[in-house]
Amino acid sequence: MLVGHSYGGSVISQAGDHPAVDSLVYLPARAPMAGEDYPALTARFPAAPAGAGLVYQNGFGHLTEDAFHNDFANGVPTARARVLYAAQGRVAQDLFSTKTTTAAWETKPNSYVITTADRTTAPELQRFVAARMKARTTVINSGHLSFITHPDTVTRVILEAVHRA
C-alpha cells in the first residue's frame, strides 16, 4: 500500500502502478489522470489561499511564514507549526506542472481523506478527484495536515485500507 499527502498523491498515482502495490490512500492529495494538466484542473475550482503564499527564488519555492501557519498548517498547535515551518523544504518551480504517465487509482483500490477546512488543496477539488477515482472517502473537518490534527482518524483510514487489500 502507498499513502500520499498533498503532492505525494501524484507520486503514488505514478508509483502505484507497480505490481507489488495493492492499494492507495490519498490524504488531501493530488490524484491526476495520466498526462493531465493538473494546474489547469485546479483552476476550475476556488483557489486555495496557500497558493498566494508560495514564493519562488532561483527556481525553488517555499511558503511564506504567514501562509504556512494560516493556510498549510491551519489547526496545528502553534509550537508544532513553528517547528514544521522551520523544517519546510523547498520545491522545484516546475514540480507542480509535472505530468504523470499513469494513474494507478484507475485499477487499484483507493481511499481519499477529504479535509473540509483545507486552505492548501480546495475541498471542492478534493471532492471532485475522490469522486472521479471512485474512492472510499472519509470527510474530516480539518486543515491540510489532517494526519497531525486528526491522527486517530487518518490511522483508521490507513488500517482499513490495509485490511481491504
Side-chain angles (χ1 to χ4, degrees):
M1 177 202 309
L2 297 177
V3 179
H5 171 255
S6 202
Y7 180 78
S10 292
V11 175
I12 70 170
S13 291
Q14 182 76 39
D17 197 35
H18 191 279
V21 176
D22 292 324
S23 63
L24 308 162
V25 176
Y26 294 78
L27 306 178
R30 293 170 178 243
M33 295 180 73
E36 182 171 56
D37 181 343
Y38 203 77
L41 174 64
T42 61
R44 296 174 34 199
F45 298 91
L54 189 56
V55 294
Y56 293 96
Q57 182 178 15
N58 300 323
F60 291 91
H62 68 280
L63 288 169
T64 64
E65 188 169 3
D66 184 58
F68 191 94
H69 291 292
N70 295 319
D71 302 324
F72 187 78
N74 60 313
V76 175
T78 303
R80 185 142 189 210
R82 285 185 182 136
V83 171
L84 294 172
Y85 173 75
Q88 173 190 191
R90 303 299 186 242
V91 296
Q93 192 161 358
D94 61 353
L95 176 70
F96 298 129
S97 61
T98 303
K99 296 179 182 179
T100 57
T101 59
T102 189
W105 52 262
E106 290 182 312
T107 59
K108 307 269 175 125
N110 57 77
S111 301
Y112 197 106
V113 173
I114 296 170
T115 49
T116 60
D118 200 315
R119 296 176 55 81
T120 301
T121 303
E124 297 85 354
L125 173 61
Q126 293 178 52
R127 286 185 191 95
F128 173 82
V129 295
R132 177 173 76 175
M133 297 164 55
K134 299 179 177 69
R136 179 178 291 238
T137 60
T138 300
V139 179
I140 304 174
N141 182 19
S142 172
H144 197 59
L145 299 179
S146 57
F147 54 89
I148 293 174
T149 61
H150 294 78
D152 293 342
T153 302
V154 171
T155 299
R156 180 181 48 77
V157 169
I158 293 169
L159 291 175
E160 285 174 359
V162 166
H163 295 303
R164 282 193 313 275

